[in-house]
Amino acid sequence: GVLLYEVLSGHPPFYRGAVYEQILYEEAEPITGITQEMNVLINTCLDKDYSKRYRSFEDVSMVLVNKTNLIQVESTSKNEIERKASPKDFDLKNMIGQKMGHLGIEMVLVEGGSYEMGSDKGAKDGKYVHSVMVDSFWMGKFEVTQKEWREIMETNLSAFNGNDHPVECVSWYEAVKFCNKLSEKDGFDLVYTINSTQVTCDFTKNGYRLPTEAEWEYAARGGNQSRGYTYAGSNNVEKVAWYNVNSQSRTHRVGEKQPNELGLYDMSGNIWEWCWDWYDGNYYSQSQLKNPKGTANGDFRCTRGGSWNIFSLCLWTTCRGNFDPMEKRFDVGFRLVLNCK
């Protein structure tokens, strides 16, 4: 509620005078330039009685989806917003993870924060537990699907056919090309400069890209909503993941299992997901504190999340994978990330 209020009004609901008392006892002033229904929705989010508020972002999202008139901004305010906005700015729908861009890909806001990356259990390359801070970013609610891939790349060589199945048999190099092509279609800056197998990434740009390992693990753990689950969204692997025990030796449609705390699906299982980083088994011992991006070079690129054909240990949010970036495997795909600013 506070986030929606500030996005639409330009300031927090309480910011002058005795703020502490206002938060406890006063109602926020209605926002001018938006519909009455939207003001009601925001007031419900901010209700002093906790039991009267929406219980989750999903509940708010459902209201907005079912009542699209809530998002109608009065013409004068809308024009003012458009004058101030840059191409990298997001509208209200995108702030709550609604469909956006050329493909209508749903993006979920992952608010930045700090966490202890790695685990004292599992494989050796992830046992060096270390503090990491990441900035806020947007992440695809689902893995990139075959339908989305086909619309941009005009091909689909996936081993398991299905429009709503994750695209696989995609090399790391093809994944970054997809990011650039989609950025171009949506009017964003290109993040990657690609010269054959030489790829550089400008993380200041606003286009689509692959997550870093640190971003991926932070999001899979549930970001600042994390409940400390072993897998992305649960301690019960069956609830959140397709893996070698239950997958029937194939991929499945994205979003069939339970999401994690942030509303991200299939972060454990279904397919491995490419990350930006070069793989280095010893990198954790020398990782940067803020927004680490991996070692400068290597032979393999990192993957995360596990897949339909592997055992549950590799589905932990802390488990690291790696493959040749030229390789096209029927258990590897990717999901998208966008910077917040």
Side-chain angles (χ1 to χ4, degrees), residues 12-53:
F14 308 107
Y15 66 106
R16 290 179 294 197
V19 173
Y20 181 75
E21 292 183 6
Q22 293 170 19
I23 292 172
L24 287 177
Y25 305 115
E26 297 182 16
E27 300 297 327
E29 293 181 2
I31 301 171
T32 58
I34 66 172
T35 64
Q36 182 179 357
E37 286 184 292
M38 179 57 92
N39 270 311
V40 170
L41 180 143
I42 293 172
N43 286 339
T44 303
C45 293
L46 298 174
D47 201 292
K48 307 300 182 188
D49 184 348
Y50 178 78
S51 65
K52 294 180 181 179
R53 300 179 203 161

Side-chain angles (χ1 to χ4, degrees), residues 111-220:
E111 294 183 351
S114 60
Y115 72 108
E116 295 300 303
M117 188 174 183
S119 172
D120 56 5
K121 300 178 182 178
K124 181 180 178 180
D125 63 358
K127 281 189 174 181
Y128 192 95
V129 180
H130 58 294
S131 297
V132 166
M133 299 171 60
V134 295
D135 292 333
S136 299
F137 57 95
W138 295 91
M139 175 171 270
K141 188 174 185 177
F142 308 106
E143 295 154 336
V144 173
T145 65
Q146 293 176 35
K147 180 181 179 182
E148 292 161 348
W149 177 268
R150 190 184 296 110
E151 286 194 33
I152 299 301
M153 306 300 282
E154 300 180 352
T155 62
N156 180 24
L157 301 178
S158 297
F160 304 99
N161 289 327
N163 281 339
D164 295 327
H165 286 235
V167 68
E168 18 84 14
C169 291
V170 172
S171 72
W172 183 91
Y173 290 104
E174 289 174 323
V176 297
K177 287 179 181 177
F178 175 94
C179 291
N180 269 7
K181 285 193 172 186
L182 183 56
S183 294
E184 192 171 26
K185 281 188 175 291
D186 283 354
F188 292 129
D189 300 329
L190 302 188
V191 171
Y192 299 111
T193 300
I194 304 172
N195 181 12
S196 185
T197 59
Q198 299 299 312
V199 180
T200 58
C201 180
D202 186 342
F203 285 91
T204 68
K205 301 296 185 182
N206 66 349
Y208 297 98
R209 61 178 175 84
L210 299 177
T212 64
E213 258 202 299
E215 289 171 333
W216 192 99
E217 184 173 320
Y218 178 67

